[in-house]
Amino acid sequence: AQSVTQLDSQVPVFEEAPVELRCNYSSSVSVYLFWYVQYPNQGLQLLLKYLSGSTLVKGINGFEAEFNKSQTSFHLRKPSVHISDTAEYFCAVSDRSGGGADGLTFGKGTHLIIQP
Amino acid sequence: KAGVTQTPRYLIKTRGQQVTLSCSPISGHRSVSWYQQTPGQGLQFLFEYFSETQRNKGNFPGRFSGRQFSNSRSEMNVSTLELGDSALYLCASSLEGVSTDTQYFGPGTRLTVL
């Protein structure tokens, strides 16, 4: 089984400032890693995913994340945020070997609040 | 390409009743997964259907069931509703499955149990 911890439930940031949303995971097996975003009254949308290869992954809307195996982390970053980035962000993992037996395991989410 | 659609968007039921939620995946997607989202527990995996067969199941009681039709549309049923079943129910579709594929989520059905 896996678990995902998003260390901050809420992150306020001024517009055009950089942001980092933290994600740590725990798993007895290798995992794939994902970041999803949920805008108000909408479903989740994939920002980026790490399956293999380069540990720095670039996604949509200027977001990127870095996989750190030794620290079991997958932090999400953006160099300059906009008002439109206000949303709930979810880190998730899936089991590499289990064929998705546990589905996606999500963290509790981080609410990103952009202040003008 | 049309996205994932879920009907109805909102439902109000009373304890003890049963409810059926519907999900229409993106055309060509064969995998449909269901998730329950609550403020306390967050997003939890219910089950995944692939080619009309339940392939994976989360840790939920047997009151939660589902099925998938030959056109990949899926339904989720909850019997003997409890207050704790109040939640946003999200479905997600993908080409082949949960493990590596991008999951495309619908807007959800918000279920309120009174």
Side-chain angles (χ1 to χ4, degrees), chain A residues 32 34 36 38 41-46 49 51 90 94-108, chain B residues 9-10 35 37 39-43 45 48 55-58 88 90 98-108:
Chain A
Y32 299 115
F34 307 82
Y36 281 84
Q38 186 176 32
N41 298 315
Q42 294 186 29
L44 280 71
Q45 179 185 4
L46 180 72
K49 61 183 175 182
L51 303 182
F90 294 93
S94 69
D95 179 358
R96 277 181 182 265
S97 60
D102 296 326
L104 285 173
T105 299
F106 285 90
K108 291 291 180 70
Chain B
R9 292 292 311 275
Y10 301 91
Y35 292 84
Q37 185 177 21
Q41 299 297 318
L43 281 150
F45 173 68
E48 181 206 5
R55 185 158 68 173
N56 295 301
K57 189 177 189 306
L88 181 67
L90 294 164
V98 176
S99 190
T100 59
D101 279 2
T102 297
Q103 302 296 303
Y104 293 85
F105 285 81

Side-chain angles (χ1 to χ4, degrees), chain A residues 5-75:
Chain A
T5 302
Q6 291 184 241
L7 297 160
D8 305 297
S9 60
Q10 196 167 285
V11 172
V13 181
F14 286 106
E15 196 173 13
E16 298 184 11
V19 69
E20 178 179 81
L21 306 183
R22 297 179 292 170
C23 171
N24 286 89
Y25 68 92
S26 173
S27 177
S28 56
V29 298
S30 295
V31 296
Y32 299 115
L33 297 141
F34 307 82
W35 274 98
Y36 281 84
V37 60
Q38 186 176 32
Y39 299 103
N41 298 315
Q42 294 186 29
L44 280 71
Q45 179 185 4
L46 180 72
L47 280 175
L48 49 79
K49 61 183 175 182
Y50 173 76
L51 303 182
S52 64
S54 172
T55 57
L56 182 62
V57 181
K58 293 191 184 297
I60 62 170
N61 301 339
F63 284 94
E64 65 180 32
E66 185 153 22
F67 169 53
N68 187 319
K69 189 175 181 180
S70 63
Q71 297 187 4
T72 59
S73 67
F74 191 54
H75 300 334

Side-chain angles (χ1 to χ4, degrees), chain B:
Chain B
K1 199 182 238 186
V4 177
T5 57
Q6 292 186 245
T7 56
R9 292 292 311 275
Y10 301 91
L11 265 178
I12 299 176
K13 293 285 187 179
T14 56
R15 277 183 300 174
Q17 287 187 310
Q18 76 166 23
V19 67
T20 299
L21 313 182
S22 180
C23 172
S24 292
I26 290 172
S27 177
H29 286 190
R30 295 192 295 168
S31 168
V32 174
S33 300
W34 288 88
Y35 292 84
Q36 181 194 66
Q37 185 177 21
T38 60
Q41 299 297 318
L43 281 150
Q44 293 184 288
F45 173 68
L46 281 154
F47 30 66
E48 181 206 5
Y49 284 86
F50 183 84
S51 293
E52 301 180 65
T53 302
Q54 186 180 89
R55 185 158 68 173
N56 295 301
K57 189 177 189 306
N59 190 23
F60 277 81
R63 300 186 297 108
F64 291 82
S65 63
R67 58 178 175 168
Q68 186 179 34
F69 301 95
S70 58
N71 61 359
S72 292
R73 190 177 70 85
S74 177
E75 287 183 347
M76 189 191 95
N77 185 276
V78 188
S79 63
T80 319
L81 284 166
E82 301 176 0
L83 295 179
D85 297 333
S86 294
L88 181 67
Y89 290 88
L90 294 164
C91 88
S93 76
S94 66
L95 284 168
E96 295 294 332
V98 176
S99 190
T100 59
D101 279 2
T102 297
Q103 302 296 303
Y104 293 85
F105 285 81
T109 294
R110 184 163 296 281
L111 172 65
T112 302
V113 182
L114 302 176

